[in-house]
Every structure is written in structure tokens, then in C-alpha cells.
Amino acid sequence: MMANGAPGGEESLATPELVIISGMSGAGRSTAAKCLEDLGWFVVDNLPPALITTMVDLGARSAGNVARIAVVVDVRGRSFFDSLRESLSDLAAKGVTRRIVFLEASDNALVRRFESVRRPHPLQGDGRIVDGIAAERDLLRELRGDADLVIDTSNLNVHELRAKMDAHFTSGGEPELRATVMSFGYKYGLPVDADHVVDCRFLPNPHWVPELRPFTGTSEEVAGYVFNQPGAKEFLDRYTELLRLIATGYRREGKRYVTIAVGCTGGKHRSVAMSERLARTLADEGVETVVVHRDMGRE
């Protein structure tokens, strides 16, 4: 006889979705994991990487009861963490689609968080908190480079981080590609979670036009001024063309998230106007797009 109608007497197994949550200690891994748990994912905290493949196999044999698995992997595993690369290779060999979410934060933000709870960093040993943070960054460098989604929590509270996770993982169906278009000001620093960074400072700054200075790039007055400048529309068209090429490659490689950062001096006028127009263009082409203005209102 055949089991459940599968050929050869073997039961047909459905491989569950897999998300690996990692990142810096203190950057919000637990909050991200709890958010996925609330969304119905089966979450396993601090699972040794060598057991990830076993966990996926067990999920496949659960008759659909465990369709989505999230695994939190961090430096608490110490020696176990060294086997993560091998586990990822095993998953790829088995055709398992996995996504890596990496939680990031600045050194200053992490130090403040550890000091506020009066806990040592798991890797600081007899040194300082910053020593532990540096050691952890070095250990996680390759994994961060492989991440499908990087979230910088330096300036996020718990509710804002949950909102970001909800935005990325709440959907009636998985989109082919989801983009975050973020405006920012160079004087406040580069966004550490950006996949692509482009510079709008080649355009005249509306800040120096007295009647435009109080407005932001979301206003028709500023947007009209920006896109009437030589090169503005050409830049948008050519950069959009480049993103089409990149998006095709991302889809082919299974990458589902991309963050595009558009910068100007203060993050109030040019980058905001360009981000709004770029986001609309991507949305018109079928890319699910979210717009974030990181520094608007800081002045």
C-alpha cells in the first residue's frame, strides 16, 4: 500500500518556512522572535546550529502543524555557533529556503542598554562592554553579510521594532520582493541597515530658498523645486533602471528584502522628495514598498 497516496510508500513531506534570527546581543533578537511567535511561527530560542536541519526535518513530519519555524541563533551558543556555516550549507543542499534576519545597533546604543540592565555582555569576559561588542561584531561579520534583512534598532523602541517585523512578515502571501526606501541626512550618519545608498547632494538644496526652508520633501512645493532641477528626473529614471536589473537578480537568488537609502545633507528636502518619487515608481512596477524618513523633523 501507499502512505497518504505518495509514490513508493513514502509520505509526502512539506518543508516548513525557516527564518534564522541573529544579530548583536541587546539589539532586540528576543523582541523580533516574540513578534514572529505572535504571528503564529514556531519559535526556538538559542538552538544549537547543528540542530537546525533536524528541527526542519521534524517540522516537515508534523503533517502541516509546524509550517513556519523561526530559530534564534546567537553567541550564547559559543562553540555551537561555529557550526552555523555547515548547517546553512546542509539546508541549501536539501533545497530548504531560509531567510536570515539580523538585528543591528550602534555601539553607543548597545552600551546604554547593557548598562541600563546592569548586565555584562556575554563576550566581554574580564574586559569592558565595548570589548564584548567588538568581539561579537567580529564573530557575526560573515553572517551579517549573508543576511536577507538587516534591522537597525539603535533608535527604535520595542513597539517600533515590532511594527517593522509585522510589516515584513504579515502578509496574505509572500511578495516577490519587498523594498524599504529610506531618506536620511548625511550629517546624522549613514544608515547601517541599508543595502544601497545613493546621494542627492548633487542637486541644489531647498534649504537655501527662504520660502521653501520650512517645508519638507513631502510637500508639492519642495518636490516641484527638486524635480525641476537639471539631472533630477534623469537620475530617478536611470537609478530605477539599475534597480530593475538588481531586483531581477535578487528574485533569482531568493532575496526578498532590500533597503534603499537616499541621502542629502539634513534628510529633510531633497532625499525625502526623491524617496517619495522612487517609492511610487517601484510600487507601480509591482514591488511592495515602504517609505521611511529617518531624519525628517530632527532639525
Side-chain angles (χ1 to χ4, degrees):
M1 291 181 62
M2 294 185 182
N4 294 336
E10 293 183 0
E11 185 179 357
S12 178
L13 303 179
T15 303
E17 291 184 60
L18 174 65
V19 167
I20 297 172
I21 300 173
S22 192
M24 300 297 295
S25 298
R29 291 185 309 245
S30 297
T31 298
K34 184 64 170 65
C35 182
L36 289 187
E37 188 174 45
D38 291 344
L39 292 174
W41 290 68
F42 185 86
V43 177
V44 184
D45 191 14
N46 199 24
L47 182 73
L51 297 180
I52 293 176
T53 304
T54 302
M55 189 72 237
V56 172
D57 290 340
L58 291 173
R61 297 176 184 278
S62 70
N65 292 321
V66 182
R68 299 183 297 176
I69 298 174
V71 175
V72 182
V73 178
D74 55 60
V75 294
R76 287 178 294 172
R78 304 300 177 95
S79 61
F80 295 121
F81 196 84
D82 297 334
S83 64
L84 180 58
R85 180 65 56 186
E86 183 178 346
S87 294
L88 293 178
S89 298
D90 289 344
L91 292 169
K94 291 188 173 187
V96 177
T97 301
R98 92 291 184 277
R99 286 173 283 171
I100 299 174
V101 177
F102 192 96
L103 281 299
E104 174 67 276
S106 67
D107 286 4
N108 287 340
L110 294 174
V111 169
R112 287 197 305 271
R113 291 170 189 175
F114 276 104
E115 288 181 341
S116 68
V117 295
R118 299 183 179 180
R119 288 171 49 197
H121 187 281
L123 292 185
Q124 76 179 74
D126 295 329
R128 302 172 300 163
I129 292 175
V130 291
D131 298 325
I133 292 171
E136 187 175 35
R137 285 200 191 283
D138 186 60
L139 182 64
L140 296 176
R141 184 170 291 113
E142 279 193 51
L143 184 61
R144 188 190 189 284
D146 288 339
D148 299 281
L149 174 63
V150 178
I151 300 178
D152 178 13
T153 69
S154 302
N155 299 308
L156 300 181
N157 59 37
V158 171
H159 305 293
E160 290 167 334
L161 174 54
R162 290 184 65 92
K164 275 184 172 285
M165 291 293 293
D166 283 340
H168 284 292
F169 288 96
T170 302
S171 176
E174 285 297 333
E176 285 192 349
L177 185 65
R178 182 179 281 130
T180 298
V181 180
M182 176 192 302
S183 68
F184 73 96
Y186 275 93
K187 69 180 183 180
Y188 300 114
L190 289 169
V192 299
D193 52 349
D195 297 294
H196 303 275
V197 178
V198 290
D199 188 353
C200 286
R201 291 176 295 181
F202 69 94
L203 297 170
N205 192 348
H207 175 81
W208 303 114
V209 180
E211 57 269 29
L212 295 179
R213 186 177 300 173
F215 297 100
T216 71
T218 59
S219 69
E220 293 183 6
E221 294 87 348
V222 171
Y225 175 86
V226 169
F227 283 98
N228 281 327
Q229 301 304 318
K233 293 178 182 176
E234 291 81 359
F235 171 80
L236 178 63
D237 291 342
R238 294 185 185 184
Y239 188 58
T240 301
E241 184 177 351
L242 176 61
L243 288 177
R244 290 191 191 106
L245 176 65
I246 294 171
T248 300
Y250 279 166
R251 291 184 177 105
R252 186 169 55 244
E253 294 299 313
K255 182 175 174 65
R256 302 185 186 185
Y257 310 105
V258 59
T259 298
I260 303 159
V262 182
C264 63
T265 303
K268 179 180 179 181
H269 295 114
R270 293 164 291 179
S271 63
V272 172
M274 188 65 70
S275 295
E276 290 283 342
R277 191 71 61 89
L278 177 61
R280 286 202 298 271
T281 301
L282 292 176
D284 289 342
E285 298 192 2
V287 177
E288 188 171 326
T289 309
V290 175
V291 185
V292 176
H293 299 304
R294 191 191 73 174
D295 299 322
M296 191 171 70
R298 294 185 68 170
E299 290 186 343

PDB file of all heavy atoms in Angstrom, residues 112-136:
ATOM      1  N   ARG A 112      24.512  51.540  26.234  1.00  0.00           N
ATOM      2  CA  ARG A 112      23.445  52.100  27.078  1.00  0.00           C
ATOM      3  C   ARG A 112      22.488  51.011  27.548  1.00  0.00           C
ATOM      4  O   ARG A 112      22.076  50.992  28.708  1.00  0.00           O
ATOM      5  CB  ARG A 112      22.673  53.182  26.315  1.00  0.00           C
ATOM      6  CG  ARG A 112      23.413  54.491  26.132  1.00  0.00           C
ATOM      7  CD  ARG A 112      22.439  55.601  25.754  1.00  0.00           C
ATOM      8  NE  ARG A 112      21.652  55.262  24.572  1.00  0.00           N
ATOM      9  CZ  ARG A 112      22.013  55.529  23.337  1.00  0.00           C
ATOM     10  NH1 ARG A 112      23.177  56.130  23.096  1.00  0.00           N
ATOM     11  NH2 ARG A 112      21.243  55.204  22.309  1.00  0.00           N
ATOM     12  N   ARG A 113      22.151  50.108  26.659  1.00  0.00           N
ATOM     13  CA  ARG A 113      21.190  49.056  27.022  1.00  0.00           C
ATOM     14  C   ARG A 113      21.767  48.103  28.054  1.00  0.00           C
ATOM     15  O   ARG A 113      21.079  47.701  28.996  1.00  0.00           O
ATOM     16  CB  ARG A 113      20.752  48.305  25.757  1.00  0.00           C
ATOM     17  CG  ARG A 113      19.897  49.161  24.831  1.00  0.00           C
ATOM     18  CD  ARG A 113      19.658  48.521  23.484  1.00  0.00           C
ATOM     19  NE  ARG A 113      19.024  49.459  22.560  1.00  0.00           N
ATOM     20  CZ  ARG A 113      18.774  49.203  21.279  1.00  0.00           C
ATOM     21  NH1 ARG A 113      19.090  48.025  20.777  1.00  0.00           N
ATOM     22  NH2 ARG A 113      18.210  50.123  20.511  1.00  0.00           N
ATOM     23  N   PHE A 114      23.025  47.709  27.885  1.00  0.00           N
ATOM     24  CA  PHE A 114      23.633  46.808  28.865  1.00  0.00           C
ATOM     25  C   PHE A 114      23.809  47.503  30.215  1.00  0.00           C
ATOM     26  O   PHE A 114      23.600  46.898  31.269  1.00  0.00           O
ATOM     27  CB  PHE A 114      24.978  46.286  28.353  1.00  0.00           C
ATOM     28  CG  PHE A 114      24.853  45.098  27.442  1.00  0.00           C
ATOM     29  CD1 PHE A 114      25.003  45.234  26.081  1.00  0.00           C
ATOM     30  CD2 PHE A 114      24.551  43.845  27.964  1.00  0.00           C
ATOM     31  CE1 PHE A 114      24.878  44.137  25.241  1.00  0.00           C
ATOM     32  CE2 PHE A 114      24.418  42.739  27.130  1.00  0.00           C
ATOM     33  CZ  PHE A 114      24.580  42.882  25.761  1.00  0.00           C
ATOM     34  N   GLU A 115      24.178  48.774  30.184  1.00  0.00           N
ATOM     35  CA  GLU A 115      24.351  49.498  31.444  1.00  0.00           C
ATOM     36  C   GLU A 115      23.019  49.695  32.150  1.00  0.00           C
ATOM     37  O   GLU A 115      22.946  49.672  33.384  1.00  0.00           O
ATOM     38  CB  GLU A 115      25.026  50.840  31.177  1.00  0.00           C
ATOM     39  CG  GLU A 115      26.504  50.711  30.802  1.00  0.00           C
ATOM     40  CD  GLU A 115      27.156  52.054  30.574  1.00  0.00           C
ATOM     41  OE1 GLU A 115      26.413  53.043  30.354  1.00  0.00           O
ATOM     42  OE2 GLU A 115      28.404  52.130  30.611  1.00  0.00           O
ATOM     43  N   SER A 116      21.942  49.890  31.367  1.00  0.00           N
ATOM     44  CA  SER A 116      20.639  50.147  31.995  1.00  0.00           C
ATOM     45  C   SER A 116      20.109  48.917  32.729  1.00  0.00           C
ATOM     46  O   SER A 116      19.378  49.041  33.708  1.00  0.00           O
ATOM     47  CB  SER A 116      19.622  50.605  30.937  1.00  0.00           C
ATOM     48  OG  SER A 116      19.312  49.552  30.043  1.00  0.00           O
ATOM     49  N   VAL A 117      20.474  47.718  32.250  1.00  0.00           N
ATOM     50  CA  VAL A 117      20.002  46.495  32.922  1.00  0.00           C
ATOM     51  C   VAL A 117      21.079  45.899  33.834  1.00  0.00           C
ATOM     52  O   VAL A 117      20.862  44.874  34.470  1.00  0.00           O
ATOM     53  CB  VAL A 117      19.553  45.440  31.886  1.00  0.00           C
ATOM     54  CG1 VAL A 117      18.342  45.932  31.120  1.00  0.00           C
ATOM     55  CG2 VAL A 117      20.674  45.068  30.931  1.00  0.00           C
ATOM     56  N   ARG A 118      22.256  46.570  33.866  1.00  0.00           N
ATOM     57  CA  ARG A 118      23.366  46.165  34.728  1.00  0.00           C
ATOM     58  C   ARG A 118      23.763  44.703  34.522  1.00  0.00           C
ATOM     59  O   ARG A 118      23.963  43.945  35.461  1.00  0.00           O
ATOM     60  CB  ARG A 118      23.007  46.415  36.203  1.00  0.00           C
ATOM     61  CG  ARG A 118      22.742  47.875  36.498  1.00  0.00           C
ATOM     62  CD  ARG A 118      22.457  48.110  37.960  1.00  0.00           C
ATOM     63  NE  ARG A 118      22.223  49.524  38.223  1.00  0.00           N
ATOM     64  CZ  ARG A 118      21.951  50.038  39.409  1.00  0.00           C
ATOM     65  NH1 ARG A 118      21.885  49.229  40.471  1.00  0.00           N
ATOM     66  NH2 ARG A 118      21.751  51.326  39.562  1.00  0.00           N
ATOM     67  N   ARG A 119      23.882  44.358  33.242  1.00  0.00           N
ATOM     68  CA  ARG A 119      24.303  43.006  32.896  1.00  0.00           C
ATOM     69  C   ARG A 119      25.558  43.076  32.046  1.00  0.00           C
ATOM     70  O   ARG A 119      25.713  44.015  31.247  1.00  0.00           O
ATOM     71  CB  ARG A 119      23.206  42.291  32.097  1.00  0.00           C
ATOM     72  CG  ARG A 119      21.998  41.907  32.915  1.00  0.00           C
ATOM     73  CD  ARG A 119      20.872  41.415  32.012  1.00  0.00           C
ATOM     74  NE  ARG A 119      21.324  40.411  31.053  1.00  0.00           N
ATOM     75  CZ  ARG A 119      20.638  40.063  29.951  1.00  0.00           C
ATOM     76  NH1 ARG A 119      19.503  40.680  29.680  1.00  0.00           N
ATOM     77  NH2 ARG A 119      21.093  39.136  29.163  1.00  0.00           N
ATOM     78  N   PRO A 120      26.466  42.115  32.176  1.00  0.00           N
ATOM     79  CA  PRO A 120      27.651  42.103  31.326  1.00  0.00           C
ATOM     80  C   PRO A 120      27.311  41.616  29.926  1.00  0.00           C
ATOM     81  O   PRO A 120      26.320  40.905  29.720  1.00  0.00           O
ATOM     82  CB  PRO A 120      28.587  41.113  32.031  1.00  0.00           C
ATOM     83  CG  PRO A 120      27.651  40.167  32.712  1.00  0.00           C
ATOM     84  CD  PRO A 120      26.464  40.997  33.151  1.00  0.00           C
ATOM     85  N   HIS A 121      28.125  42.000  28.974  1.00  0.00           N
ATOM     86  CA  HIS A 121      27.983  41.450  27.623  1.00  0.00           C
ATOM     87  C   HIS A 121      28.468  40.002  27.651  1.00  0.00           C
ATOM     88  O   HIS A 121      29.468  39.686  28.315  1.00  0.00           O
ATOM     89  CB  HIS A 121      28.816  42.269  26.636  1.00  0.00           C
ATOM     90  CG  HIS A 121      28.593  41.885  25.209  1.00  0.00           C
ATOM     91  ND1 HIS A 121      29.185  40.783  24.642  1.00  0.00           N
ATOM     92  CD2 HIS A 121      27.832  42.458  24.237  1.00  0.00           C
ATOM     93  CE1 HIS A 121      28.813  40.688  23.380  1.00  0.00           C
ATOM     94  NE2 HIS A 121      27.988  41.689  23.111  1.00  0.00           N
ATOM     95  N   PRO A 122      27.794  39.089  26.943  1.00  0.00           N
ATOM     96  CA  PRO A 122      28.179  37.676  27.018  1.00  0.00           C
ATOM     97  C   PRO A 122      29.605  37.369  26.571  1.00  0.00           C
ATOM     98  O   PRO A 122      30.140  36.313  26.908  1.00  0.00           O
ATOM     99  CB  PRO A 122      27.158  36.971  26.113  1.00  0.00           C
ATOM    100  CG  PRO A 122      26.479  38.041  25.346  1.00  0.00           C
ATOM    101  CD  PRO A 122      26.574  39.282  26.147  1.00  0.00           C
ATOM    102  N   LEU A 123      30.246  38.282  25.832  1.00  0.00           N
ATOM    103  CA  LEU A 123      31.608  38.021  25.364  1.00  0.00           C
ATOM    104  C   LEU A 123      32.659  38.942  25.979  1.00  0.00           C
ATOM    105  O   LEU A 123      33.817  38.897  25.570  1.00  0.00           O
ATOM    106  CB  LEU A 123      31.677  38.157  23.831  1.00  0.00           C
ATOM    107  CG  LEU A 123      30.933  37.120  23.000  1.00  0.00           C
ATOM    108  CD1 LEU A 123      31.225  37.332  21.518  1.00  0.00           C
ATOM    109  CD2 LEU A 123      31.314  35.711  23.408  1.00  0.00           C
ATOM    110  N   GLN A 124      32.286  39.771  26.977  1.00  0.00           N
ATOM    111  CA  GLN A 124      33.268  40.723  27.477  1.00  0.00           C
ATOM    112  C   GLN A 124      34.278  40.099  28.430  1.00  0.00           C
ATOM    113  O   GLN A 124      35.379  40.642  28.609  1.00  0.00           O
ATOM    114  CB  GLN A 124      32.565  41.908  28.158  1.00  0.00           C
ATOM    115  CG  GLN A 124      31.998  41.630  29.546  1.00  0.00           C
ATOM    116  CD  GLN A 124      31.345  42.874  30.138  1.00  0.00           C
ATOM    117  OE1 GLN A 124      30.258  43.270  29.723  1.00  0.00           O
ATOM    118  NE2 GLN A 124      32.011  43.498  31.099  1.00  0.00           N
ATOM    119  N   GLY A 125      33.957  38.977  29.036  1.00  0.00           N
ATOM    120  CA  GLY A 125      34.909  38.336  29.949  1.00  0.00           C
ATOM    121  C   GLY A 125      35.306  39.285  31.072  1.00  0.00           C
ATOM    122  O   GLY A 125      34.459  39.863  31.752  1.00  0.00           O
ATOM    123  N   ASP A 126      36.626  39.479  31.244  1.00  0.00           N
ATOM    124  CA  ASP A 126      37.123  40.399  32.265  1.00  0.00           C
ATOM    125  C   ASP A 126      37.294  41.812  31.721  1.00  0.00           C
ATOM    126  O   ASP A 126      37.785  42.689  32.428  1.00  0.00           O
ATOM    127  CB  ASP A 126      38.479  39.902  32.807  1.00  0.00           C
ATOM    128  CG  ASP A 126      38.339  38.576  33.546  1.00  0.00           C
ATOM    129  OD1 ASP A 126      37.270  38.347  34.147  1.00  0.00           O
ATOM    130  OD2 ASP A 126      39.299  37.779  33.511  1.00  0.00           O
ATOM    131  N   GLY A 127      36.925  42.022  30.449  1.00  0.00           N
ATOM    132  CA  GLY A 127      37.091  43.331  29.835  1.00  0.00           C
ATOM    133  C   GLY A 127      35.869  44.209  30.021  1.00  0.00           C
ATOM    134  O   GLY A 127      35.039  44.001  30.903  1.00  0.00           O
ATOM    135  N   ARG A 128      35.748  45.192  29.123  1.00  0.00           N
ATOM    136  CA  ARG A 128      34.643  46.140  29.177  1.00  0.00           C
ATOM    137  C   ARG A 128      33.518  45.690  28.240  1.00  0.00           C
ATOM    138  O   ARG A 128      33.706  44.794  27.418  1.00  0.00           O
ATOM    139  CB  ARG A 128      35.122  47.526  28.764  1.00  0.00           C
ATOM    140  CG  ARG A 128      36.257  48.084  29.619  1.00  0.00           C
ATOM    141  CD  ARG A 128      36.775  49.376  29.003  1.00  0.00           C
ATOM    142  NE  ARG A 128      37.283  49.128  27.652  1.00  0.00           N
ATOM    143  CZ  ARG A 128      37.505  50.081  26.742  1.00  0.00           C
ATOM    144  NH1 ARG A 128      37.234  51.338  27.042  1.00  0.00           N
ATOM    145  NH2 ARG A 128      37.982  49.772  25.545  1.00  0.00           N
ATOM    146  N   ILE A 129      32.373  46.344  28.369  1.00  0.00           N
ATOM    147  CA  ILE A 129      31.249  46.035  27.497  1.00  0.00           C
ATOM    148  C   ILE A 129      31.640  46.238  26.039  1.00  0.00           C
ATOM    149  O   ILE A 129      31.318  45.412  25.172  1.00  0.00           O
ATOM    150  CB  ILE A 129      30.025  46.909  27.852  1.00  0.00           C
ATOM    151  CG1 ILE A 129      29.472  46.515  29.225  1.00  0.00           C
ATOM    152  CG2 ILE A 129      28.934  46.774  26.795  1.00  0.00           C
ATOM    153  CD1 ILE A 129      28.339  47.401  29.709  1.00  0.00           C
ATOM    154  N   VAL A 130      32.373  47.321  25.749  1.00  0.00           N
ATOM    155  CA  VAL A 130      32.752  47.601  24.366  1.00  0.00           C
ATOM    156  C   VAL A 130      33.664  46.519  23.812  1.00  0.00           C
ATOM    157  O   VAL A 130      33.667  46.258  22.598  1.00  0.00           O
ATOM    158  CB  VAL A 130      33.423  48.983  24.235  1.00  0.00           C
ATOM    159  CG1 VAL A 130      32.423  50.100  24.470  1.00  0.00           C
ATOM    160  CG2 VAL A 130      34.617  49.112  25.168  1.00  0.00           C
ATOM    161  N   ASP A 131      34.446  45.875  24.670  1.00  0.00           N
ATOM    162  CA  ASP A 131      35.290  44.769  24.212  1.00  0.00           C
ATOM    163  C   ASP A 131      34.430  43.588  23.771  1.00  0.00           C
ATOM    164  O   ASP A 131      34.710  42.934  22.757  1.00  0.00           O
ATOM    165  CB  ASP A 131      36.253  44.328  25.315  1.00  0.00           C
ATOM    166  CG  ASP A 131      37.218  45.430  25.733  1.00  0.00           C
ATOM    167  OD1 ASP A 131      37.628  46.212  24.857  1.00  0.00           O
ATOM    168  OD2 ASP A 131      37.539  45.518  26.935  1.00  0.00           O
ATOM    169  N   GLY A 132      33.400  43.300  24.541  1.00  0.00           N
ATOM    170  CA  GLY A 132      32.485  42.225  24.170  1.00  0.00           C
ATOM    171  C   GLY A 132      31.752  42.524  22.879  1.00  0.00           C
ATOM    172  O   GLY A 132      31.562  41.642  22.030  1.00  0.00           O
ATOM    173  N   ILE A 133      31.326  43.780  22.715  1.00  0.00           N
ATOM    174  CA  ILE A 133      30.624  44.178  21.492  1.00  0.00           C
ATOM    175  C   ILE A 133      31.537  44.017  20.280  1.00  0.00           C
ATOM    176  O   ILE A 133      31.127  43.498  19.232  1.00  0.00           O
ATOM    177  CB  ILE A 133      30.120  45.632  21.607  1.00  0.00           C
ATOM    178  CG1 ILE A 133      29.016  45.722  22.665  1.00  0.00           C
ATOM    179  CG2 ILE A 133      29.628  46.146  20.268  1.00  0.00           C
ATOM    180  CD1 ILE A 133      28.599  47.139  23.001  1.00  0.00           C
ATOM    181  N   ALA A 134      32.793  44.441  20.406  1.00  0.00           N
ATOM    182  CA  ALA A 134      33.747  44.320  19.300  1.00  0.00           C
ATOM    183  C   ALA A 134      33.979  42.859  18.938  1.00  0.00           C
ATOM    184  O   ALA A 134      34.035  42.493  17.749  1.00  0.00           O
ATOM    185  CB  ALA A 134      35.068  44.995  19.673  1.00  0.00           C
ATOM    186  N   ALA A 135      34.109  42.006  19.948  1.00  0.00           N
ATOM    187  CA  ALA A 135      34.323  40.582  19.693  1.00  0.00           C
ATOM    188  C   ALA A 135      33.116  39.963  18.985  1.00  0.00           C
ATOM    189  O   ALA A 135      33.255  39.137  18.083  1.00  0.00           O
ATOM    190  CB  ALA A 135      34.606  39.851  21.009  1.00  0.00           C
ATOM    191  N   GLU A 136      31.926  40.382  19.405  1.00  0.00           N
ATOM    192  CA  GLU A 136      30.714  39.841  18.805  1.00  0.00           C
ATOM    193  C   GLU A 136      30.566  40.296  17.358  1.00  0.00           C
ATOM    194  O   GLU A 136      30.188  39.511  16.481  1.00  0.00           O
ATOM    195  CB  GLU A 136      29.492  40.264  19.619  1.00  0.00           C
ATOM    196  CG  GLU A 136      28.206  39.599  19.158  1.00  0.00           C
ATOM    197  CD  GLU A 136      27.036  39.928  20.054  1.00  0.00           C
ATOM    198  OE1 GLU A 136      26.967  41.071  20.567  1.00  0.00           O
ATOM    199  OE2 GLU A 136      26.173  39.055  20.251  1.00  0.00           O
TER     200      GLU A 136
END
